[in-house]
Amino acid sequence: DKSKILGFITTAGTLNSHTSVLARTKGIPSIIGVGESLKVEYDGKSVIIDGFTGKIYIEPDYTTLTKFRKKRDSNLNYRKNLEKLKGKENVTQSGQRIAVLANVANREDIESVLRSDAGGIGLYRTEFLFMENDTLPTEDQQYLEYKLAAEAMGSKPVSIRTVDMGSDKTIREIDEGKVRNPALGYRGIRLLLNDEDVFYTQIRAILRASIYGNLSILLPMVTSSEEVSRAKEIIEKVKDDLRSSKILFDEDINLGVMIETPAAVMISGELARQVDYFSIGTNDLTALTLGVDRMNPKVEELFDVEHPAIMKMIRIITNNAHLEEKPVAICGDAAADLGLTEYFIKVGIDGLSVEPQKVLSLRKKVREIR
Ligand code: PEP
Ligand code: MG
């Protein structure tokens, strides 16, 4: 229950691991990967967590406490000021419009998306629905979850990513085997095409929920056109089955792919012909392009999303998408990096999907750009 968590500190992990990504999505201050310096004897003590600088203060004295209360208040004030931007458009000074969307992990996050005034949900990470219990969620459980998102967002788009299990998101019921490099292993679309029941059930749940709003299906970790063709065949089969049972669904539901592997970048021209939109996952794209494990603190310094290779890839993907007149958004954590907004807009990115708490600061940034 996130309402009971003021913040947390972990010994392991990096800023790019999913625990960290989730904490940002939920707006929970956290410090990741402090190693041995987190000692058992700190148990029960008061702690200040400064997520901006990555500093921890144990049993702070009065002066420190006052200083940080002020820092917290000024951050709250800054956020309050941003509220003025609610209802305003995401348009640059020169008139370029860009979609500012939000990332969510489960139903709890939808309220903060509504509060943030985002233009939709650019990435619904469904893994957490699968990780909550010992057994896989049923079709009806999933249907209710997606229906809630669809209804809450109304006509605004909601991009439901089919479950990207594997790597650091493990699910008890799915055996990945003991592997050295899970990030390069049995995960994402590979697992879904191999374990068709999981995929079929999830697609059925999404399609059933699609009549309640503006849902689309997003495929994770794609590396080939064949994977997309195969996924489309299964989606068509689900649609046929629903039609035979006279169950309604959105016949025009859009299909998108995550561009988060170097292979997907290189074949983005072909992929753009197969699907309706792209969503760039800069987290995995950076990890896989630079050969840097998202989970390994020893190489965290090398996890450089601004590396010229990644910047160039974003340009290639956007050009290939636009040649086929397909929109492209970024939903990896780089989307929220205000130092990159201008570059993204310059190359023609159509949308940015960020944690709900960052929506208004991104809107502010977009509106300032000339
Ligand atoms: C990404 O890889 O950038 C992404 C958005 O997916 P995830 O972080 O869930 O792997
Ligand atoms: Mg990813």
Side-chain angles (χ1 to χ4, degrees):
D1 179 355
K2 79 166 195 244
S3 69
K4 298 195 174 107
I5 305 171
L6 295 176
F8 66 86
I9 305 167
T10 71
T11 54
T14 71
L15 288 179
N16 310 303
S17 30
H18 278 93
T19 303
S20 201
V21 169
L22 242 201
R24 284 195 290 278
T25 304
K26 295 184 175 298
I28 303 173
S30 58
I31 314 253
I32 306 289
V34 299
E36 298 293 299
S37 47
L38 185 64
K39 300 197 171 62
V40 182
E41 54 263 35
Y42 298 150
D43 224 7
K45 301 204 164 155
S46 332
V47 161
I48 293 174
I49 292 174
D50 184 354
F52 291 106
T53 59
K55 289 210 168 105
I56 303 159
Y57 300 80
I58 300 179
E59 294 281 44
D61 57 21
Y62 181 75
T63 321
T64 314
L65 208 56
T66 313
K67 188 174 130 198
F68 276 91
R69 286 215 167 103
K70 268 200 193 130
K71 187 169 178 178
R72 186 185 57 188
D73 290 348
S74 83
N75 183 44
L76 288 175
N77 260 339
Y78 168 74
R79 295 168 63 94
K80 222 179 156 102
N81 270 330
L82 287 176
E83 306 252 317
K84 290 187 204 124
L85 293 172
K86 280 192 178 173
K88 297 247 162 75
E89 291 185 302
N90 312 305
V91 55
T92 64
Q93 302 264 327
S94 48
Q96 196 172 330
R97 200 170 297 274
I98 175 143
V100 176
L101 311 158
N103 294 346
V104 301
N106 56 21
R107 60 163 67 199
E108 280 174 23
D109 301 332
I110 290 171
E111 198 194 313
S112 35
V113 175
L114 293 173
R115 250 187 287 125
S116 78
D117 194 35
I121 294 176
L123 173 65
Y124 194 128
R125 286 186 166 96
T126 59
E127 295 77 50
F128 303 97
L129 190 59
F130 284 69
M131 290 163 78
E132 267 165 11
N133 298 305
D134 286 349
T135 52
L136 298 176
T138 63
E139 180 186 319
D140 276 347
Q141 279 168 339
Q142 293 190 60
Y143 159 72
L144 290 173
E145 193 87 4
Y146 309 148
K147 176 172 178 268
L148 190 120
E151 284 177 333
M153 299 309 294
S155 60
K156 292 180 176 177
V158 177
S159 196
I160 310 250
R161 181 172 73 182
T162 53
V163 61
D164 180 22
M165 297 184 282
S167 192
D168 62 333
K169 295 170 286 194
T170 48
I171 292 160
R172 259 163 246 166
E173 228 179 82
I174 305 279
D175 183 15
E176 285 181 80
K178 234 182 157 25
V179 287
R180 282 177 78 92
N181 291 312
L184 306 181
Y186 187 51
R187 61 174 295 202
I189 191 79
R190 299 170 186 171
L191 190 151
L192 291 171
L193 295 178
N194 195 48
D195 204 329
E196 253 181 55
D197 282 353
V198 175
F199 191 51
Y200 183 96
T201 305
Q202 187 169 25
I203 295 295
R204 213 177 131 101
I206 299 172
L207 285 173
R208 280 175 57 204
S210 64
I211 52 164
Y212 296 96
N214 182 6
L215 298 187
S216 62
I217 301 167
L218 181 61
L219 306 174
M221 290 301 293
V222 166
T223 57
S224 73
S225 313
E226 290 72 30
E227 286 167 341
V228 178
S229 307
R230 182 77 197 107
K232 284 170 89 167
E233 278 169 24
I234 300 170
I235 294 169
E236 282 312 309
K237 160 111 183 54
V238 182
K239 286 183 175 175
D240 283 344
D241 291 351
L242 288 174
R243 282 186 203 108
S244 325
S245 319
K246 303 223 169 353
I247 297 173
L248 291 176
F249 61 91
D250 173 8
E251 292 273 355
D252 301 319
I253 192 164
N254 277 341
L255 175 70
V257 282
M258 294 280 297
I259 304 288
E260 54 182 342
T261 66
V265 178
M266 298 311 287
I267 58 164
S268 49
E270 286 165 53
L271 294 175
R273 287 189 279 282
Q274 288 181 288
V275 297
D276 303 300
Y277 68 101
F278 282 167
S279 194
I280 307 178
T282 47
N283 304 338
D284 279 307
L285 188 58
T286 306
L288 298 172
T289 303
L290 304 181
V292 172
D293 185 349
R294 286 172 71 168
M295 291 291 288
N296 185 346
K298 282 215 161 136
V299 288
E300 192 173 7
E301 292 271 302
L302 299 174
F303 193 96
D304 176 17
V305 75
E306 293 181 44
H307 191 289
I310 310 298
M311 293 296 109
K312 197 167 172 183
M313 282 173 151
I314 290 173
R315 196 149 37 86
I316 294 171
I317 301 162
T318 309
N319 287 343
N320 282 335
H322 287 174
L323 280 174
E324 297 298 325
E325 296 179 356
K326 305 288 166 69
V328 49
I330 300 178
C331 65
D333 279 48
D337 183 338
L338 301 185
L340 294 174
T341 316
E342 190 162 343
Y343 178 79
F344 294 151
I345 290 180
K346 224 184 246 175
V347 298
I349 287 288
D350 303 289
L352 294 166
S353 192
V354 298
E355 55 261 36
Q357 291 76 13
K358 296 270 178 72
V359 165
L360 291 176
S361 51
L362 178 57
R363 174 171 297 165
K364 180 169 182 288
K365 181 72 194 177
V366 169
R367 293 170 64 87
E368 283 163 4
I369 287 173
R370 287 176 189 283

